[in-house]
Amino acid sequence: MGNWAVNEGLSIFVILVWLGLNVFLFVWYYRVYDVPVKFFYTRKLLGSALALARAPAACLNFNCMLILLPVCRNLLSFLRGSSACCSTRVRRQLDRNLTFHKMVAWMIALHSAIHTIAHLFNVEWCVNARVGNSDPYSVALSELGDRQNESYLNFARDRIKVLKLPTLRDRNFKSSCTQ
């Protein structure tokens, strides 16, 4: 056990720091967009999906910056040459660059999925507010920008009539089915 900790300790430390930075970025940016009064109207229109889209976006920025570092040959060669005074554990960590590169890629895939799903909810809630299938406050926020030279909050600009499908409760539907 002692040899494993000595040999793998730096690798585990680097992975824990990387995971900790991802968690910190996610929580920090979630709170930046979920708590302040500055985004009150946008939060009212989009719900928590605003913060759930922005938090993984910050993690995506960090991980997309980081994914190229483990596969930069010149950087790895420079670090190997400059680590002559360091122990073999540092050089062993540099040899595991592809494993770290793959872990960063999986983290990018995870945050991309969360980010995309949050944007799908954003679109759904904006369209619902625009066609009037939401609370009156969100509908009123969606009507901002309908007059000329007025800025808008909801990006869904066209008013779409919602097609209401007949149900069994509708009398016209019952009579059309019996004929």
Side-chain angles (χ1 to χ4, degrees):
M1 181 67 182
N3 287 338
W4 181 84
V6 168
N7 290 334
E8 303 296 329
L10 185 61
S11 298
I12 301 300
F13 177 74
V14 168
I15 291 170
L16 288 177
V17 167
W18 170 69
L19 287 173
L21 283 171
N22 275 293
V23 169
F24 170 76
L25 284 172
F26 192 92
V27 170
W28 177 266
Y29 278 97
Y30 185 88
R31 290 185 50 78
V32 162
Y33 287 99
D34 196 44
V35 173
V37 178
K38 180 178 169 182
F39 300 105
F40 176 77
Y41 296 113
T42 311
R43 257 193 330 269
K44 184 65 180 160
L45 184 64
L46 300 176
S48 62
L50 170 69
L52 281 176
R54 296 294 184 136
C59 294
L60 279 170
N61 287 339
F62 170 67
N63 286 307
C64 288
M65 177 268 315
L66 193 62
I67 195 165
L68 293 179
L69 290 180
V71 291
C72 289
R73 296 171 101 195
N74 291 338
L75 177 66
L76 291 174
S77 297
F78 171 74
L79 290 175
R80 271 193 198 98
S82 66
S83 67
C85 63
C86 299
S87 66
T88 58
R89 285 180 285 169
V90 173
R91 281 184 246 135
R92 191 176 304 125
Q93 179 63 35
L94 292 174
D95 291 337
R96 294 187 181 139
N97 59 338
L98 292 180
T99 303
F100 186 69
H101 177 77
K102 291 174 187 176
M103 289 172 54
V104 173
W106 280 109
M107 187 64 79
I108 289 172
L110 172 71
H111 286 298
S112 296
I114 296 169
H115 185 73
T116 302
I117 291 168
H119 275 305
L120 290 174
F121 278 112
N122 287 344
V123 170
E124 179 71 23
W125 286 332
C126 282
V127 170
N128 281 343
R130 190 66 181 162
V131 299
N133 287 346
S134 188
D135 62 301
Y137 200 71
S138 295
V139 173
L141 287 173
S142 292
E143 290 174 357
L144 290 175
D146 285 347
R147 291 183 285 281
Q148 195 167 4
N149 295 329
E150 188 178 52
S151 62
Y152 59 89
L153 183 61
N154 190 344
F155 60 84
R157 300 309 315 145
D158 293 333
R159 290 198 178 273
I160 304 167
K161 290 189 177 185
V162 178
L163 179 65
K164 189 172 182 181
L165 297 174
T167 63
L168 292 175
R169 293 181 188 162
D170 295 336
R171 291 184 185 166
N172 296 336
F173 181 73
K174 287 181 184 176
S175 63
S176 67
C177 288
T178 57
Q179 293 175 357

